[in-house]
Amino acid sequence: MEHAAEGATHGPMEQFKIEPLIPIHVGGIDISYTNSALFMTFAVMLTAALFWGATRRRLMVPGRWQSVAEILYETVSEMVRGNVGKEGMPYFPFIFTVFLFILFGNFLGLMPYGFTFTSHLIVTAAMAVFIFVSVTIIGFWKHGLHFFTLFVPPNTPLVMAIVLVPLEMFSYLIRPLTLSLRLFANMMAGHVLLKVLAGFIVTLGIFFGWVPLLSVFGVTLLELLVALIQAYVFTLLTCLYLNDAIHLH
Amino acid sequence: MPQFDPTTFTPQLFWLVVSFIALYWLVAKIAVPRVGEVLDQRARVIQEDIDRAVQLKAETDAAAQAYEKAMADARAQAGDHMRAMLADVKAVTEKRTADISSQIGKQVADAEARINGAKQAAMDGLKAMAADTARDVVAKLASVTPDAGAVDEAVAAALKETR
């Protein structure tokens, strides 16, 4: 939560520090309301405000905010329909929630004084593990033990299957790891890069400082794009995993 | 790295669960139904408009077809009328032409008969006058009273020659 001007005294990792705002302890467990929790609250409130404002009038020809809400809705619903099919639509609210939560988390982190809760592995891992476990349960619920055929690609000779099945199982089991690491690493790397470059502005002073200043401007634009893309990728992979569980191949 | 400080895990996880559930409730109960309703309604209105347009087009086509048919019928009827009228006119003209020409023929024949009669009368008169003249001439010149029959014959022969 520190500013670029204080870069001399703070490292680039300082921005990820969790700071309790309201210390809460229940039964010896620390559930303090932190800066991370504050921005999660902001994400929820922003979504609420957007959708409440957008759907207040429910116009046939949408205005600006209604268009934003509709574009978000249609992007994700097309993603679910396109990748999972009609059977995926019951899970659409959950997938839409994942998309909005990550999207607003990423964007809010790019605001000045913002905190990026998606830059914490524990948060992305919790979501990834929840998705992985849920998808696996859905797979067994839909197909029973037949779900294991997911690990045998179609038309595989038996000899190849001996090699392929462990590989497929491995790639399945590391899904929560890759899913959570991708988002966490992207968000953290972007913010570290921004902070390091911002630190250079102060170090190089008024004569050369404009070089990193322009870089920060460019990287900020890039990070806005990354924030959107990573939310999209996380959601898309969720759809693909769900599709595997529902349709096996 | 602050990310790997385990003491921050429980508060983060707790508030993640709380805010995610809150957001899920918001999305599932408010955002999705409302936006979905708007989109469905719009799709329905557009579909209705398309349906109505299709129906109107069918009606227009039917009307155009009826118009074409009425036009064709009227044209055919007009043609029939025209033909019937022309036939009438022709018949009347022909009849009148025939009447007039037969009348003229009769008049011509009458006239010819009259002319022939007049001609015959004139010829007969001429013959008698010639015979009288010839007799008178013979009587004067030869002091002979010729036989009336012989004079007539001679006059007839002379007239035949001059003809």
Side-chain angles (χ1 to χ4, degrees), chain A residues 30-31 55 58 60 70 119, chain B residues 3 10 15 34 37 42:
Chain A
D30 179 15
I31 53 164
T55 59
R58 295 180 222 187
M60 215 24 45
E70 284 178 11
S119 67
Chain B
Q3 278 90 340
T10 49
W15 290 104
R34 282 193 183 184
E37 182 196 325
R42 185 175 307 144

Side-chain angles (χ1 to χ4, degrees), chain A residues 48-59 65-67 69-70, chain B residues 30-38:
Chain A
L50 171 64
F51 280 93
W52 181 78
T55 59
R56 203 155 38 100
R57 285 185 291 169
R58 295 180 222 187
L59 298 171
W65 289 109
Q66 196 178 325
S67 283
E70 284 178 11
Chain B
I30 296 169
V32 168
R34 282 193 183 184
V35 178
E37 182 196 325
V38 171

Side-chain angles (χ1 to χ4, degrees), chain A residues 63-107:
Chain A
R64 251 176 254 147
W65 289 109
Q66 196 178 325
S67 283
V68 171
E70 284 178 11
I71 288 167
L72 289 172
Y73 179 99
E74 287 190 316
T75 304
V76 180
S77 75
E78 284 308 306
M79 197 197 289
V80 175
R81 212 190 305 277
N83 291 296
V84 193
K86 267 206 169 340
E87 303 90 334
M89 289 319 276
Y91 306 102
F92 167 62
F94 173 78
I95 291 168
F96 196 27
T97 308
V98 168
F99 178 71
L100 291 171
F101 193 64
I102 295 173
L103 184 71
F104 283 119
N106 293 350
F107 277 152

Side-chain angles (χ1 to χ4, degrees), chain A residues 13 16-18 24 29-34 36-37 40 44 47-48 51-52 55 58-60 62 66 69-70 73-74 92-94 96-98 100-101 119-123 126-127 184 188, chain B residues 1-46:
Chain A
M13 301 309 285
F16 302 117
K17 201 172 172 223
I18 300 285
I24 307 168
I29 299 168
D30 179 15
I31 53 164
S32 302
Y33 193 76
T34 61
S36 166
M40 288 177 185
V44 175
T47 314
F51 280 93
W52 181 78
T55 59
R58 295 180 222 187
L59 298 171
M60 215 24 45
Q66 196 178 325
E70 284 178 11
Y73 179 99
E74 287 190 316
F92 167 62
F94 173 78
F96 196 27
T97 308
V98 168
L100 291 171
F101 193 64
S119 67
H120 273 260
L121 186 58
I122 188 70
V123 173
M127 287 195 286
F184 150 70
M188 188 187 72
Chain B
M1 273 173 91
Q3 278 90 340
F4 298 115
D5 175 6
T7 58
T8 67
F9 286 0
T10 49
Q12 283 194 81
L13 286 176
F14 177 79
W15 290 104
L16 171 67
V17 170
V18 169
S19 38
F20 196 90
I21 289 171
L23 189 66
Y24 178 78
W25 180 86
L26 199 79
V27 167
K29 295 284 171 228
I30 296 169
V32 168
R34 282 193 183 184
V35 178
E37 182 196 325
V38 171
L39 295 177
D40 283 354
Q41 200 182 338
R42 185 175 307 144
R44 205 166 51 237
V45 166
I46 288 171

Side-chain angles (χ1 to χ4, degrees), chain B residues 36-94:
Chain B
E37 182 196 325
V38 171
L39 295 177
D40 283 354
Q41 200 182 338
R42 185 175 307 144
R44 205 166 51 237
V45 166
I46 288 171
Q47 192 54 50
E48 277 169 8
D49 283 358
I50 288 171
D51 288 350
R52 208 168 55 218
V54 167
Q55 195 198 328
L56 286 177
K57 190 179 180 308
E59 279 172 19
T60 312
D61 285 351
Q65 225 157 18
Y67 168 78
E68 291 287 344
K69 197 177 170 299
M71 267 313 251
D73 285 355
R75 215 169 271 142
Q77 212 174 349
D80 286 350
H81 276 306
M82 196 75 158
R83 267 190 295 282
M85 213 154 73
L86 280 176
D88 279 358
V89 168
K90 203 175 159 198
V92 168
T93 314
E94 273 171 3

